[in-house]
Coordinates of all heavy atoms in Angstrom, one line a residue:
M1 N 43.5 191.5 31.0 CA 44.8 191.1 30.7 C 45.7 192.2 30.7 O 46.9 192.1 31.1 CB 44.8 190.4 29.3 CG 44.2 189.0 29.3 SD 44.4 188.1 27.8 CE 43.2 188.8 26.8
Q2 N 45.3 193.4 30.3 CA 46.2 194.6 30.3 C 46.5 195.0 31.8 O 47.6 195.3 32.1 CB 45.5 195.7 29.6 CG 45.5 195.6 28.1 CD 44.8 196.7 27.4 OE1 43.8 197.3 28.0 NE2 45.3 197.2 26.3
A3 N 45.5 194.8 32.7 CA 45.7 195.1 34.1 C 46.8 194.1 34.6 O 47.6 194.5 35.4 CB 44.5 195.1 34.9
T4 N 46.6 192.9 34.3 CA 47.5 191.9 34.8 C 48.9 192.2 34.3 O 49.9 192.0 35.0 CB 47.1 190.5 34.3 OG1 45.8 190.2 34.7 CG2 48.0 189.4 34.7
E5 N 49.1 192.6 33.1 CA 50.4 192.9 32.5 C 51.0 194.1 33.3 O 52.2 194.1 33.6 CB 50.4 193.3 31.1 CG 50.3 192.1 30.1 CD 51.4 191.2 30.2 OE1 52.6 191.6 30.1 OE2 51.2 190.0 30.6
A6 N 50.2 195.1 33.6 CA 50.7 196.2 34.4 C 51.1 195.8 35.8 O 52.2 196.2 36.2 CB 49.6 197.3 34.5
V7 N 50.4 195.0 36.5 CA 50.7 194.5 37.8 C 52.1 193.7 37.7 O 53.0 193.9 38.5 CB 49.6 193.7 38.4 CG1 50.1 193.0 39.7 CG2 48.4 194.6 38.7
K8 N 52.2 192.8 36.7 CA 53.4 192.1 36.6 C 54.7 192.9 36.4 O 55.6 192.7 37.0 CB 53.3 191.1 35.3 CG 52.4 189.9 35.6 CD 51.9 189.2 34.3 CE 53.0 188.9 33.3 NZ 52.5 188.3 32.1
L9 N 54.5 194.0 35.6 CA 55.6 194.9 35.4 C 55.9 195.7 36.7 O 57.1 195.9 37.0 CB 55.3 195.9 34.3 CG 55.3 195.2 32.9 CD1 54.8 196.2 31.8 CD2 56.7 194.8 32.5
L10 N 54.8 196.1 37.4 CA 55.0 196.9 38.6 C 55.8 196.0 39.7 O 56.6 196.5 40.4 CB 53.7 197.4 39.2 CG 53.1 198.5 38.3 CD1 51.7 198.8 38.8 CD2 54.0 199.8 38.4
V11 N 55.3 194.8 39.9 CA 55.9 194.0 41.0 C 57.1 193.2 40.5 O 57.9 192.6 41.3 CB 54.8 193.0 41.5 CG1 53.7 193.8 42.1 CG2 54.4 192.0 40.5
G12 N 57.4 193.1 39.2 CA 58.6 192.5 38.7 C 58.5 191.0 38.7 O 59.5 190.3 38.7
F13 N 57.3 190.4 38.7 CA 57.0 188.9 38.6 C 56.5 188.5 37.3 O 55.9 189.3 36.6 CB 56.1 188.4 39.8 CG 56.6 188.6 41.2 CD1 55.8 188.9 42.2 CD2 58.0 188.4 41.4 CE1 56.3 189.0 43.5 CE2 58.4 188.4 42.7 CZ 57.7 188.8 43.7
G14 N 56.7 187.3 37.0 CA 56.1 186.7 35.8 C 56.9 187.1 34.5 O 58.0 187.6 34.5
E15 N 56.3 186.7 33.4 CA 56.9 186.9 32.1 C 56.0 188.0 31.3 O 54.9 187.6 30.8 CB 56.9 185.6 31.3 CG 57.6 185.7 29.9 CD 57.5 184.4 29.1 OE1 57.0 183.4 29.7 OE2 57.8 184.4 28.0
P16 N 56.5 189.2 31.3 CA 55.7 190.2 30.6 C 55.6 190.0 29.1 O 56.5 189.4 28.6 CB 56.5 191.5 31.0 CG 57.8 191.1 31.2 CD 57.8 189.7 31.8
L17 N 54.6 190.6 28.6 CA 54.4 190.5 27.1 C 55.2 191.5 26.4 O 54.7 192.4 25.6 CB 52.9 190.7 26.8 CG 52.3 190.2 25.5 CD1 52.5 188.7 25.3 CD2 50.9 190.6 25.4
I18 N 56.5 191.5 26.5 CA 57.4 192.3 25.9 C 58.0 191.7 24.6 O 58.4 190.6 24.7 CB 58.6 192.8 26.8 CG1 58.0 193.6 27.9 CG2 59.7 193.6 26.0 CD1 59.0 194.0 29.0
G19 N 57.9 192.3 23.4 CA 58.3 191.8 22.2 C 57.4 190.8 21.6 O 57.7 190.0 20.8
R20 N 56.1 190.7 22.2 CA 55.2 189.8 21.7 C 53.8 190.5 21.6 O 53.5 191.3 22.4 CB 55.0 188.6 22.6 CG 56.3 187.8 22.8 CD 56.1 186.6 23.8 NE 55.9 187.2 25.2 CZ 55.1 186.6 26.1 NH1 54.4 185.5 25.8 NH2 55.1 187.1 27.3
L21 N 53.1 190.1 20.6 CA 51.7 190.7 20.5 C 50.8 189.5 20.6 O 50.8 188.5 19.9 CB 51.5 191.3 19.1 CG 50.1 191.8 18.7 CD1 49.7 193.0 19.6 CD2 50.1 192.2 17.3
L22 N 49.8 189.6 21.6 CA 48.8 188.6 21.8 C 47.5 189.0 21.2 O 47.0 190.1 21.5 CB 48.6 188.4 23.3 CG 47.7 187.2 23.7 CD1 48.3 185.9 23.3 CD2 47.5 187.3 25.2
T23 N 47.0 188.2 20.3 CA 45.7 188.6 19.6 C 44.6 187.6 20.1 O 44.9 186.4 20.5 CB 45.7 188.5 18.1 OG1 46.0 187.2 17.7 CG2 46.8 189.4 17.6
F24 N 43.4 188.1 20.1 CA 42.3 187.3 20.6 C 41.1 187.3 19.6 O 40.7 188.4 19.2 CB 41.8 187.8 21.9 CG 40.5 187.2 22.5 CD1 40.4 185.8 22.6 CD2 39.4 188.0 22.8 CE1 39.3 185.2 23.0 CE2 38.2 187.4 23.2 CZ 38.2 186.0 23.4
D25 N 40.8 186.2 19.1 CA 39.7 186.0 18.1 C 38.5 185.6 18.9 O 38.4 184.4 19.3 CB 40.1 185.0 17.1 CG 38.9 184.7 16.2 OD1 37.8 185.3 16.3 OD2 39.1 183.8 15.3
A26 N 37.6 186.6 19.3 CA 36.4 186.2 20.2 C 35.4 185.3 19.4 O 34.9 184.4 20.0 CB 35.8 187.5 20.6
L27 N 35.3 185.4 18.1 CA 34.3 184.6 17.4 C 34.8 183.1 17.4 O 34.0 182.2 17.5 CB 34.1 185.1 16.0 CG 33.5 186.5 15.9 CD1 33.3 187.0 14.4 CD2 32.1 186.5 16.6
G28 N 36.1 183.0 17.2 CA 36.6 181.6 17.2 C 37.1 181.1 18.5 O 37.5 180.0 18.7
M29 N 37.1 182.0 19.5 CA 37.6 181.8 20.8 C 39.0 181.2 20.9 O 39.3 180.1 21.3 CB 36.7 180.9 21.7 CG 36.9 180.9 23.1 SD 37.1 182.5 23.9 CE 35.3 183.0 23.9
R30 N 39.9 182.0 20.1 CA 41.3 181.6 20.0 C 42.2 182.7 20.3 O 41.9 183.9 20.0 CB 41.7 181.1 18.6 CG 40.9 179.9 18.1 CD 41.3 179.5 16.7 NE 40.5 178.5 16.2 CZ 39.3 178.6 15.5 NH1 39.0 179.8 15.2 NH2 38.6 177.6 15.1
F31 N 43.4 182.4 20.9 CA 44.4 183.3 21.1 C 45.5 183.0 20.2 O 45.7 181.9 19.8 CB 45.0 183.2 22.6 CG 44.0 183.7 23.6 CD1 43.1 183.0 24.2 CD2 44.1 185.1 24.0 CE1 42.2 183.5 25.2 CE2 43.2 185.6 24.9 CZ 42.3 184.8 25.5
R32 N 46.3 184.0 19.8 CA 47.5 183.8 19.0 C 48.6 184.7 19.4 O 48.3 185.9 19.8 CB 47.2 184.1 17.5 CG 48.2 183.6 16.5 CD 47.6 183.6 15.1 NE 47.6 185.0 14.6 CZ 48.2 185.5 13.6 NH1 48.9 184.7 12.9 NH2 48.1 186.7 13.3
E33 N 49.8 184.3 19.4 CA 50.9 185.1 19.8 C 51.9 185.3 18.7 O 52.2 184.4 17.9 CB 51.7 184.5 21.0 CG 52.8 185.3 21.5 CD 53.5 184.6 22.7 OE1 52.7 184.1 23.6 OE2 54.7 184.6 22.6
V34 N 52.3 186.6 18.4 CA 53.2 186.9 17.4 C 54.4 187.6 18.0 O 54.2 188.5 18.8 CB 52.5 187.9 16.3 CG1 53.5 188.3 15.3 CG2 51.2 187.3 15.8
K35 N 55.6 187.1 17.6 CA 56.8 187.8 18.1 C 57.0 189.1 17.3 O 56.8 189.1 16.1 CB 58.0 186.9 17.9 CG 58.0 185.7 19.0 CD 59.3 184.9 18.9 CE 59.2 183.9 19.9 NZ 60.4 183.1 20.0
L36 N 57.4 190.1 18.0 CA 57.7 191.5 17.4 C 59.1 191.8 17.6 O 59.7 191.7 18.7 CB 56.8 192.5 17.9 CG 55.3 192.4 17.7 CD1 54.6 193.5 18.4 CD2 55.0 192.4 16.2
R37 N 59.8 192.3 16.6 CA 61.2 192.7 16.7 C 61.1 194.3 16.7 O 60.3 194.9 16.0 CB 62.0 192.2 15.6 CG 62.6 190.8 15.9 CD 63.5 190.4 14.8 NE 62.8 189.4 13.9 CZ 63.1 189.1 12.7 NH1 64.1 189.6 12.2 NH2 62.3 188.2 12.1
R38 N 62.1 194.9 17.3 CA 62.2 196.3 17.3 C 62.6 196.8 16.0 O 63.4 196.2 15.3 CB 63.3 196.7 18.3 CG 63.6 198.2 18.3 CD 64.6 198.6 19.4 NE 63.9 198.6 20.7 CZ 64.5 198.9 21.8 NH1 65.7 199.3 21.8 NH2 63.8 199.0 22.9
D39 N 61.9 197.9 15.5 CA 62.2 198.5 14.2 C 63.4 199.4 14.4 O 63.3 200.4 15.1 CB 61.0 199.3 13.8 CG 61.3 200.0 12.4 OD1 62.4 199.9 11.9 OD2 60.3 200.8 12.0
P40 N 64.6 199.1 13.8 CA 65.8 199.9 14.0 C 65.6 201.4 13.4 O 66.3 202.3 13.8 CB 66.9 199.2 13.3 CG 66.2 198.3 12.3 CD 64.9 197.9 12.9
N41 N 64.6 201.6 12.5 CA 64.4 202.8 11.9 C 63.2 203.6 12.6 O 62.8 204.7 12.2 CB 63.9 202.7 10.4 CG 65.1 202.1 9.7 OD1 66.2 202.5 9.8 ND2 64.8 201.1 8.8
C42 N 62.7 203.1 13.8 CA 61.7 203.8 14.5 C 62.2 205.1 15.0 O 63.2 205.3 15.5 CB 61.2 202.9 15.7 SG 60.1 203.7 16.8
P43 N 61.4 206.2 14.7 CA 61.8 207.5 15.1 C 61.8 207.8 16.6 O 62.4 208.7 17.1 CB 60.7 208.5 14.5 CG 59.6 207.6 14.2 CD 60.1 206.2 14.0
L44 N 61.2 206.8 17.4 CA 61.1 207.0 18.8 C 62.2 206.1 19.5 O 62.9 206.6 20.5 CB 59.7 206.7 19.4 CG 59.5 207.0 20.8 CD1 59.7 208.5 21.1 CD2 58.1 206.6 21.2
C45 N 62.2 204.8 19.2 CA 63.1 203.9 19.9 C 64.1 203.3 19.0 O 64.8 202.3 19.3 CB 62.3 202.9 20.6 SG 61.4 201.7 19.5
G46 N 64.3 203.8 17.8 CA 65.2 203.2 16.8 C 66.7 203.6 17.1 O 67.0 204.2 18.2
K47 N 67.6 203.3 16.2 CA 69.0 203.5 16.5 C 69.4 205.0 16.5 O 70.3 205.5 17.2 CB 69.9 202.8 15.4 CG 69.9 201.3 15.6 CD 70.7 200.6 14.6 CE 70.7 199.0 14.8 NZ 71.5 198.3 13.8
T48 N 68.7 205.7 15.6 CA 68.9 207.2 15.5 C 67.5 207.9 15.7 O 67.0 208.4 14.7 CB 69.5 207.6 14.2 OG1 68.7 207.1 13.2 CG2 71.0 207.0 14.1
P49 N 67.0 208.0 17.0 CA 65.7 208.5 17.1 C 65.7 210.0 16.8 O 66.6 210.8 17.1 CB 65.4 208.3 18.7 CG 66.8 208.1 19.3 CD 67.6 207.6 18.2
T50 N 64.6 210.4 16.2 CA 64.3 211.9 15.9 C 63.3 212.5 16.8 O 63.2 213.6 16.9 CB 63.9 212.0 14.4 OG1 62.7 211.3 14.2 CG2 64.9 211.6 13.4
I51 N 62.5 211.6 17.4 CA 61.7 212.1 18.5 C 62.3 211.9 19.9 O 62.5 210.8 20.3 CB 60.3 211.3 18.5 CG1 59.6 211.5 17.1 CG2 59.3 211.8 19.6 CD1 58.4 210.6 16.9
T52 N 62.8 213.0 20.5 CA 63.4 212.9 21.7 C 62.8 213.6 22.8 O 63.3 213.6 24.0 CB 64.9 213.4 21.5 OG1 64.8 214.8 21.1 CG2 65.7 212.6 20.5
D53 N 61.7 214.4 22.6 CA 61.1 215.1 23.7 C 59.6 214.9 23.5 O 58.9 215.3 22.6 CB 61.4 216.7 23.5 CG 60.8 217.5 24.5 OD1 60.2 216.9 25.5 OD2 60.8 218.7 24.4
L54 N 59.0 214.4 24.6 CA 57.6 214.1 24.6 C 56.8 215.0 25.6 O 55.7 214.8 25.9 CB 57.3 212.6 25.1 CG 58.0 211.5 24.2 CD1 57.7 210.2 24.8 CD2 57.4 211.7 22.8
S55 N 57.5 216.1 26.1 CA 57.0 216.9 27.1 C 55.7 217.7 26.6 O 54.9 218.1 27.3 CB 58.0 217.9 27.5 OG 58.4 218.8 26.5
I56 N 55.6 217.9 25.2 CA 54.4 218.5 24.7 C 53.2 217.8 25.0 O 52.0 218.4 25.1 CB 54.6 218.8 23.2 CG1 53.5 219.8 22.7 CG2 54.5 217.5 22.4 CD1 53.7 220.3 21.3
H57 N 53.2 216.5 25.2 CA 52.0 215.7 25.4 C 51.6 215.9 26.8 O 50.4 215.6 27.1 CB 52.4 214.1 25.2 CG 52.6 213.9 23.7 ND1 51.5 213.8 22.9 CD2 53.7 213.7 23.1 CE1 52.0 213.5 21.7 NE2 53.3 213.5 21.7
A58 N 52.3 216.5 27.7 CA 51.9 216.8 29.1 C 50.9 217.9 29.1 O 50.0 218.0 30.0 CB 53.1 217.2 29.9
E59 N 50.9 218.7 27.9 CA 49.9 219.8 27.8 C 48.6 219.3 27.1 O 47.7 220.1 27.0 CB 50.5 220.9 27.0 CG 51.7 221.4 27.7 CD 52.4 222.5 26.9 OE1 51.8 223.2 26.1 OE2 53.6 222.7 27.1
G60 N 48.5 218.1 26.8 CA 47.3 217.6 26.2 C 47.5 217.1 24.7 O 48.2 217.8 24.0
A61 N 47.1 215.9 24.4 CA 47.3 215.4 23.1 C 46.7 216.2 22.0 O 47.1 216.3 20.9 CB 46.8 214.0 23.0
G62 N 45.6 217.0 22.3 CA 44.9 217.8 21.4 C 45.8 218.9 20.8 O 45.8 219.1 19.6
Q63 N 46.5 219.5 21.7 CA 47.4 220.5 21.3 C 48.6 220.0 20.6 O 49.1 220.5 19.6 CB 47.8 221.3 22.6 CG 46.8 222.2 23.2 CD 47.2 223.0 24.3 OE1 48.4 222.9 24.6 NE2 46.3 223.7 25.0
A64 N 49.1 218.8 21.1 CA 50.3 218.3 20.5 C 50.1 217.8 19.1 O 51.0 217.8 18.3 CB 50.8 217.0 21.4
C65 N 48.8 217.3 18.8 CA 48.6 216.7 17.5 C 47.7 217.7 16.6 O 47.2 217.3 15.5 CB 47.9 215.5 17.7 SG 48.8 214.3 18.7
A66 N 47.4 218.9 17.0 CA 46.6 219.8 16.2 C 47.3 220.2 14.9 O 48.5 220.3 14.8 CB 46.4 221.1 17.0
I67 N 46.5 220.4 13.8 CA 46.9 220.8 12.6 C 46.6 222.2 12.4 O 45.4 222.6 12.5 CB 46.4 219.9 11.5 CG1 46.6 218.5 11.6 CG2 46.8 220.3 10.1 CD1 48.1 218.1 11.6
G68 N 47.5 223.0 12.0 CA 47.2 224.5 11.8 C 46.7 224.7 10.4 O 46.5 223.8 9.5
D69 N 46.4 226.0 10.1 CA 45.8 226.4 8.8 C 46.8 226.1 7.6 O 46.3 225.9 6.5 CB 45.5 227.9 8.8 CG 44.4 228.2 9.8 OD1 43.6 227.3 10.0 OD2 44.3 229.4 10.2
N70 N 48.1 226.1 7.9 CA 49.0 225.8 6.9 C 49.3 224.3 6.7 O 50.2 224.0 5.9 CB 50.3 226.5 7.2 CG 51.0 226.1 8.5 OD1 50.4 225.2 9.2 ND2 52.1 226.6 8.9
G71 N 48.5 223.5 7.3 CA 48.6 222.1 7.2 C 49.7 221.5 8.0 O 50.0 220.3 8.0
Q72 N 50.5 222.3 8.7 CA 51.6 221.9 9.5 C 51.1 221.7 11.0 O 50.1 222.4 11.3 CB 52.7 222.9 9.6 CG 53.3 223.2 8.2 CD 54.0 221.9 7.6 OE1 54.8 221.3 8.3 NE2 53.7 221.5 6.4
G73 N 51.7 220.9 11.8 CA 51.3 220.7 13.1 C 51.6 221.9 13.9 O 52.5 222.7 13.6
T74 N 50.8 222.2 14.8 CA 51.0 223.4 15.7 C 51.7 222.9 16.9 O 51.7 221.7 17.3 CB 49.7 224.1 16.1 OG1 48.9 223.2 16.8 CG2 49.0 224.6 14.9
S75 N 52.4 223.8 17.6 CA 53.1 223.4 18.8 C 52.8 224.4 20.0 O 53.1 225.6 19.8 CB 54.6 223.3 18.6 OG 55.3 223.2 19.8
A76 N 52.2 224.0 21.0 CA 52.0 224.9 22.1 C 53.3 225.3 22.7 O 53.4 226.5 23.1 CB 51.2 224.1 23.2
A77 N 54.3 224.5 22.6 CA 55.6 224.9 23.2 C 56.2 226.0 22.4 O 57.0 226.8 22.8 CB 56.6 223.7 23.1
A78 N 55.9 226.1 21.0 CA 56.5 227.2 20.1 C 55.6 228.4 20.2 O 55.8 229.3 19.5 CB 56.5 226.6 18.7
G79 N 54.5 228.4 21.0 CA 53.7 229.6 21.1 C 52.5 229.7 20.2 O 51.8 230.6 20.2
A80 N 52.4 228.7 19.2 CA 51.3 228.8 18.2 C 50.0 228.2 18.9 O 50.0 227.2 19.7 CB 51.7 227.8 17.1
P81 N 48.9 228.9 18.7 CA 47.6 228.5 19.3 C 47.1 227.2 18.6 O 47.3 227.0 17.4 CB 46.6 229.6 19.1 CG 47.2 230.3 17.9 CD 48.8 230.2 17.9
A82 N 46.6 226.3 19.4 CA 46.1 225.1 18.8 C 44.7 225.2 18.3 O 44.0 226.1 18.9 CB 46.1 224.0 20.0
A83 N 44.4 224.6 17.3 CA 43.0 224.6 16.7 C 42.0 224.1 17.7 O 42.3 223.1 18.3 CB 43.0 223.9 15.4
K84 N 40.9 224.8 17.8 CA 39.9 224.3 18.8 C 38.8 223.7 17.9 O 38.4 224.2 16.8 CB 39.4 225.5 19.6 CG 40.4 226.0 20.6 CD 39.8 227.1 21.4 CE 40.9 227.6 22.3 NZ 40.5 228.9 22.9
P85 N 38.2 222.6 18.4 CA 37.1 222.0 17.6 C 35.9 223.0 17.5 O 35.6 223.7 18.4 CB 36.7 220.8 18.5 CG 37.8 220.5 19.5 CD 38.5 221.9 19.6
G86 N 35.4 223.0 16.2 CA 34.3 223.9 16.0 C 34.6 225.3 15.7 O 33.8 226.1 15.4
S87 N 35.9 225.7 15.7 CA 36.3 227.1 15.3 C 36.8 227.1 13.9 O 37.0 226.2 13.2 CB 37.3 227.6 16.3 OG 38.5 226.8 16.2
Ligands
ZN101 ZN1 59.8 202.3 18.4

């Protein structure tokens, strides 16, 4: 279903699952659709976004999301080394 959604968006046909969440209950073999509204306070897509640069993720999610010794996130872009697993 995810692949179908991707193809629909790429070719511009059909009704994409935008603003809706489709859930599947395999045990009951039921689908359910829930409408979702945009959160105006979302830091990424809200009215006043505070996350405006996602370029750090191009260097790998591990570096972007690493937690340093001080409990703060580290940033490869700021020159801080990312924590390595097992070190
Ligand atoms: Zn959002």
Side-chain angles (χ1 to χ4, degrees):
M1 284 191 280
Q2 289 178 320
T4 302
E5 283 300 301
V7 170
K8 283 162 50 182
L9 290 171
L10 288 170
V11 300
F13 290 146
E15 181 183 353
L17 197 62
I18 295 174
R20 299 176 292 145
L21 174 68
L22 184 66
T23 64
F24 172 55
D25 173 5
L27 294 178
M29 194 52 72
R30 292 183 190 93
F31 287 90
R32 194 168 71 121
E33 185 178 310
V34 179
K35 287 188 179 181
L36 295 177
R37 275 183 256 161
R38 176 176 283 183
D39 177 2
N41 297 318
C42 176
L44 187 62
C45 67
K47 290 182 178 177
T48 55
T50 56
I51 301 171
T52 57
D53 181 9
L54 300 176
S55 63
I56 192 169
H57 291 282
E59 299 175 27
Q63 291 182 3
C65 301
I67 302 297
D69 293 337
N70 61 1
Q72 301 293 312
T74 60
S75 172
K84 292 179 182 168
S87 62

